[in-house]
Amino acid sequence: MYIAKSSLNKGFTVNSISANNQNYTLEMNDTQDGPMDLFTVAFSGCILMCVKGYFFRKYDMKDLKIEIDLSVDYENKKCLSYIKVDYEISEEDIEGILNNIKLRCKISHLLSDEVELKYEIKGK
């Protein structure tokens, strides 16, 4: 279970403490949509950890650079991930990465079936 204790006082700044005592601040103003920013960062992190987990389990690689450009189109219910791996990958790796994301990305498990998830994976 994931738990957060959060408060909102003046304005639109949310202060939260997670179950493992991490402090987070979320701000929203006229130029940014705070909750969606945080969602996009968290979803990116979840995908990156799943990709890294694949390479750790398959090749025992911990020090591998992986980058992601994630775009979330709220109005059209689409998420597109461009994943760049600093390693020469095969079609088998791409299939393994996608399977690992489907299996382990808890954030994607919470999304509605109406949300279209696309992953494009490129290696060296």
Side-chain angles (χ1 to χ4, degrees), residues 2 41-59 61 64 66-68 81 83 85 93-109 117 119 121:
Y2 299 88
V41 170
F43 193 21
S44 294
C46 195
I47 294 167
L48 285 169
M49 289 179 200
C50 290
V51 175
K52 178 71 74 109
Y54 167 80
F55 283 98
F56 178 70
R57 286 178 186 83
K58 175 103 180 186
Y59 301 109
M61 296 175 74
L64 176 64
I66 305 165
E67 296 179 347
I68 185 172
S81 304
I83 301 165
V85 180
D93 288 326
I94 291 172
E95 186 177 326
I97 291 166
L98 291 172
N99 286 336
N100 205 47
I101 292 169
K102 285 180 187 173
L103 176 67
R104 300 178 192 281
C105 183
K106 293 178 174 118
I107 291 176
S108 67
H109 295 170
L117 302 175
Y119 305 95
I121 304 167

Side-chain angles (χ1 to χ4, degrees), residues 25 40 69 74 78 82 107:
T25 302
T40 305
D69 292 326
Y74 175 78
K78 294 181 181 182
Y82 291 102
I107 291 176

Side-chain angles (χ1 to χ4, degrees), residues 21-49:
N21 266 351
Q22 294 292 316
N23 290 304
Y24 297 94
T25 302
L26 174 63
E27 296 182 59
M28 186 169 72
N29 58 41
D30 292 339
T31 61
Q32 64 186 28
D33 184 2
M36 284 305 297
D37 290 332
L38 185 59
F39 167 80
T40 305
V41 170
F43 193 21
S44 294
C46 195
I47 294 167
L48 285 169
M49 289 179 200

